[in-house]
Amino acid sequence: MKLHEYQAKQVFADAGIPTPASELASDVDGAVAAAEEIGYPVAIKAQVQVGGRGKAGGIKLVEDEDEAREAADEILGMDLKGYHVDRVLVEEAVDFTNELYVGITMDRGEGKPVAMVSTKGGVNIEEVAEEDPDAIAREHIDPAFGMHPYQARKAVYDAGVDQSIARDVSSVLTTLYQLWDDRDGSDAEINPLMVTSDDEVIAADAVMNIDEDALFRQPELAEMEEEAAGGDELEQKADEYDFDYVRLDGNVGIIGNGAGLVMTTLDLVDHYGGEPANFLDVGGGAKAERIANALDMVFSDDNVDSVVFNIFGGITRGDEVARGINEALEQFDEIPKPVVVRLAGTNWEEGMEILNEDLVTVEQTLEDAVQRAVEYAGEVNE
Amino acid sequence: MSVLVDDDTRVVVQGITGGEGKFHAQQMMEYGTNVVAGAVPGKGGQEVEGVPVYDTVHEAVEEENADTSVIFVPPAFAGDAVFESLDADLDLAVAITEGIPTQDMARVNKRLTETDTRLIGPNCPGLITPGEAKLGILPGNIFAEGNVGLVSRSGTLTYQVVDSLTNRGIGQTTAIGIGGDPIIGTDFVDALELFEDDPDTDAIVMCGEIGGEDEEEAAAFIDDYVDTPVAGFIAGRTAPPGKRMGHAGAIVSGSGTGTAESKISALNDAGVPVGDTPEEVADHIEEFLA
């Protein structure tokens, strides 16, 4: 779960990390009023969760009321890489002399958190990581002890941060780690951490991703998630149904159990000349209702021309899956799109007995099922 | 022969009184697994399917000589359940639970380095030695006794590949689902080492997926240490970049790793053929064994 910039800034500010004065606005008048209160110049920043907002026209620096009105009018309501902008953050424009990067993330290879500091802030940090990996100082943290103060200092000195601000940057890094640890962060980043002409540091952007699996013990952040909900209609629906779902560009809808098997089904659709419309993992042990919801999900995507169901039961039972498919399809006078079903594993035989074969095409193997679904999708497009 | 689990393994099921725990304890016993105890705080003294339940894993060890745990404890408490297994000094702990917070697993991972217990999982289907014992939720009926070792990050993909093997009359020594979480106990390299040292394993299947660098590390290990022939499969070749690979991982590792292409080419460079489909993986294994 990714917090919006304004939410992450609030969380950072509450913890004591310096952030610029800012206010959230959802209409032009509100944005202008906020700008007046903060004092020009201000930045007007679209609050959508996509990278490269600035380049896409979602961030504008304004000097006076006319410019503020024009920029707010332009940004509010715009479509930014597929996301509708309905809120902007109006923020004090900080006069800076330098930009740094600080971040905390989980290094999955090491199984440990890692703190990172770079003097190459304000730019795409992934590019820095690729082109000049030594420009990012890294310090692994023992998760049982947390970050020792010397580790924050070491990362800051290793990165070559100037003496005059080293203490403040160490302090920001220490606070950031504490936040990351307390709030079950998956990553927490400040890019850029601006350095002012008075040698003060200030978080000009804020990224905070929370481990979804830990939201049960972060009720305050879970509330923020509800506030932040938005985006693609189908993805919202997937959230409601609690599916792992990714929308893709093709026309073969895919439903399966287990991430690896669903990815394999996608790969096979591609292998046999089709194009996957989505990734949908119903997860382990799905009951009939969940299966029906999955079909509803995939049917709601207008791009889908055929659907392939690939279930290999372990903890999931074939009879439950079959009941769910029947339930979902029996509501229709005419099935909207052809459905191919392949059931294997736990209770697949019981499932085959229950499954209403007038409504679906049954295939015994994964390969046959995928090929049949690709064929159906192709026929629609002829 | 087998690795890690056989019919001597003495299992304590943590969470045996829950729905999943009870159902799968029963399934494991039906398969022949020696389930000797359950462990559920507050439920000591009860019996589930004829198995005595204790309040703690330590009691299950004292009273029933349990040496292995299988964990069906809800995610909020599962990290603690793993710590309990480690503290009871078991040989093996198998965590089936999905959705354990990553920071909890980082702490478990640290503790693992200080104990002799081996962890499989979490978020995994478990492991099985066909004809002897299974630990976890794998459907026993699709496996067959034989000479192929299998290690996989995905449960259902394991079933798919095993099905292709068994249908051709190719059985398995042991199949291990190591789980797809960012932080896991036993990884590919550990499993490959076990199979390499097992005299009865004549070929190995390794099923990976996009994300992380475990497959690349496994490829380097195979190149240096593994003489047993290995065939691979990598799921997620068509998955769009950025959707599953976290931003964070890209920073730490630099981009270019973690993709299906980088994994497949690392494996190919180590002499491991990678199938485009599960059936092609079985084709490679068939050739190795011919």
Side-chain angles (χ1 to χ4, degrees):
Chain A
M1 168 207 168
K2 186 172 199 260
L3 299 186
H4 276 291
E5 179 194 5
Y6 73 91
Q7 295 171 323
K9 280 222 171 99
Q10 189 59 54
V11 171
F12 286 12
D14 289 347
I17 294 173
T19 53
S22 66
E23 209 171 301
L24 194 65
S26 52
D27 57 41
V28 174
D29 287 342
V32 172
E36 298 288 330
E37 197 182 312
I38 292 165
Y40 294 101
V42 295
I44 297 187
K45 306 163 96 175
Q47 295 298 291
V48 284
Q49 296 181 335
V50 292
R53 280 177 304 169
K55 277 186 194 158
I59 300 179
K60 289 203 160 44
L61 192 65
V62 298
E63 302 279 354
D64 57 38
E65 186 185 336
D66 288 347
E67 284 182 22
R69 193 166 289 281
E70 196 183 329
D73 187 50
E74 214 170 290
I75 295 173
L76 279 165
M78 79 186 286
D79 179 87
L80 200 73
K81 297 181 178 178
Y83 288 83
H84 178 78
V85 180
D86 60 2
R87 281 171 296 186
V88 291
L89 188 66
V90 182
E91 186 173 82
E92 168 193 6
V94 177
D95 186 23
F96 63 96
T97 58
N98 212 340
E99 296 177 295
L100 309 174
Y101 165 88
V102 296
I104 311 284
T105 191
M106 184 66 82
D107 181 346
R108 59 184 287 173
E110 294 286 325
K112 285 177 184 167
V114 60
M116 296 170 287
V117 179
S118 178
T119 54
K120 291 198 167 177
V123 295
N124 185 336
I125 198 72
E126 283 108 326
E127 279 171 22
V128 176
E130 192 179 350
E131 285 157 19
D132 188 9
D134 291 343
I136 303 173
R138 296 174 177 80
E139 186 72 20
H140 282 98
I141 313 295
D142 184 325
F145 291 113
M147 183 156 71
H148 296 289
Y150 83 84
Q151 291 184 292
R153 295 197 300 269
K154 184 165 176 291
V156 166
Y157 289 125
D158 284 351
V161 172
D162 198 84
Q163 273 293 353
S164 58
I165 49 164
R167 182 198 285 260
D168 286 347
V169 180
S170 300
S171 157
V172 166
L173 189 61
T174 307
T175 308
L176 195 63
Y177 178 80
Q178 205 51 57
L179 256 181
W180 180 91
D181 192 46
D182 291 345
R183 302 300 188 97
D184 278 295
S186 48
D187 47 342
E189 287 182 316
I190 302 171
N191 188 25
L193 179 67
M194 283 178 176
V195 183
T196 68
S197 49
D198 305 332
D199 278 349
E200 279 171 4
V201 296
I202 189 160
D205 195 7
V207 170
M208 183 88 180
N209 289 321
I210 311 295
D211 180 358
E212 304 254 350
D213 288 334
L215 279 180
F216 68 87
R217 61 187 177 204
Q218 302 290 350
E220 201 184 310
L221 296 177
E223 262 172 47
M224 283 190 175
E225 184 185 31
E226 280 164 25
E227 194 184 323
D232 187 285
E233 202 176 300
L234 277 170
E235 281 169 4
Q236 279 184 40
K237 198 166 192 169
D239 276 348
E240 275 166 39
Y241 285 148
D242 191 27
F243 285 130
D244 280 330
Y245 174 85
V246 177
R247 191 177 186 175
L248 302 166
D249 297 331
N251 63 342
V252 180
I254 294 162
I255 302 171
N257 62 326
L261 186 65
V262 180
M263 278 195 276
T264 301
T265 313
L266 260 68
D267 293 347
L268 284 188
V269 165
D270 177 72
H271 180 78
Y272 289 116
E275 287 180 58
N278 66 278
F279 168 101
L280 197 168
D281 177 7
V282 297
K287 298 280 189 269
E289 189 192 351
R290 198 164 164 77
I291 299 295
N293 289 346
L295 261 173
D296 177 47
M297 238 348 288
V298 176
F299 280 160
S300 337
D301 182 348
D302 294 336
N303 293 332
V304 168
D305 292 325
S306 70
V307 181
V308 57
F309 240 103
N310 180 29
I311 300 287
F312 207 122
I315 203 162
T316 305
R317 289 165 32 191
D319 50 333
E320 282 287 343
V321 172
R323 256 189 284 277
I325 295 173
N326 289 350
E327 244 167 59
L329 296 183
E330 278 160 4
Q331 319 166 23
F332 294 102
D333 294 331
E334 197 185 335
I335 309 294
K337 316 181 176 183
V339 178
V340 183
V341 177
R342 183 270 182 146
L343 287 181
T346 308
N347 289 9
W348 75 272
E349 283 158 315
E350 290 87 336
M352 293 310 297
E353 275 168 30
I354 292 167
L355 193 63
N356 184 344
E357 291 195 41
D358 294 339
L359 306 178
V360 298
T361 305
V362 171
E363 293 289 353
Q364 294 299 327
T365 70
L366 170 58
E367 285 78 8
D368 289 348
V370 166
Q371 288 185 65
R372 182 58 70 96
V374 170
E375 238 171 71
Y376 285 155
E379 281 166 16
V380 173
N381 286 330
E382 268 167 17
Chain B
M1 264 290 281
S2 59
V3 301
L4 297 175
V5 54
D6 57 28
D7 47 19
D8 292 330
T9 305
R10 296 178 68 80
V11 176
V12 49
V13 176
Q14 289 180 257
I16 199 170
T17 51
E20 299 282 341
K22 185 177 173 184
F23 177 74
H24 288 288
Q26 188 186 6
Q27 295 278 309
M28 285 190 270
M29 286 189 282
E30 271 175 31
Y31 195 78
T33 310
N34 195 10
V35 177
V36 298
V40 183
K43 301 285 169 80
Q46 297 186 6
E47 269 195 9
V48 171
E49 307 291 333
V51 174
V53 180
Y54 297 92
D55 287 314
T56 68
V57 173
H58 289 80
E59 280 176 272
V61 172
E62 269 164 40
E63 302 294 328
E64 309 290 344
N65 289 319
D67 56 28
T68 294
S69 66
V70 181
I71 298 167
F72 291 98
V73 171
F77 313 105
D80 187 51
V82 178
F83 274 113
E84 189 179 4
S85 280
L86 303 185
D87 194 62
D89 208 17
L90 300 181
D91 297 334
L92 182 67
V94 183
I96 306 301
T97 310
E98 178 180 357
I100 303 180
T102 308
Q103 293 193 2
D104 294 1
M105 279 311 301
R107 291 181 183 102
V108 165
N109 188 59
K110 155 78 174 174
R111 184 81 180 107
L112 275 173
T113 62
E114 304 160 346
T115 67
D116 295 325
T117 307
R118 174 187 290 279
L119 174 68
I120 307 272
N123 188 15
C124 78
L127 65 162
I128 183 168
T129 292
E132 295 198 35
K134 72 160 181 163
L135 308 178
I137 60 174
L138 312 100
N141 61 315
I142 61 169
F143 294 85
E145 290 172 53
N147 57 351
V148 175
L150 185 139
V151 54
S152 170
R153 273 169 69 183
S154 156
T156 45
L157 179 55
T158 307
Y159 312 159
Q160 178 69 47
V161 173
V162 163
D163 203 43
S164 300
L165 294 173
T166 302
N167 284 340
R168 299 174 187 219
I170 301 172
Q172 303 90 40
T173 45
T174 300
I176 310 174
I178 57 175
D181 275 5
I183 300 179
I184 54 173
T186 297
D187 62 14
F188 281 126
V189 168
D190 302 326
L192 288 165
E193 196 172 13
L194 290 167
F195 286 131
E196 173 68 9
D197 292 342
D198 175 30
D200 292 327
T201 297
D202 296 330
I204 303 169
V205 175
M206 177 186 144
C207 298
E209 61 189 40
I210 54 165
E213 292 176 5
D214 286 5
E215 290 82 357
E216 286 87 340
E217 280 169 25
F221 181 79
I222 291 167
D223 208 17
D224 288 343
Y225 299 107
V226 180
D227 292 327
T228 312
V230 184
F233 185 80
I234 300 293
R237 282 171 299 150
T238 51
K243 285 288 184 181
R244 272 181 63 93
M245 269 176 28
H247 170 69
I251 290 183
V252 173
S253 57
S255 54
T257 58
T259 63
E261 296 80 54
S262 86
K263 290 171 193 293
I264 291 169
S265 79
L267 286 166
N268 286 339
D269 289 348
V272 176
V274 177
D276 277 349
T277 68
E279 287 298 330
E280 280 184 27
V281 179
D283 290 342
H284 289 304
I285 294 294
E286 215 162 36
E287 281 164 31
F288 292 153
L289 298 177

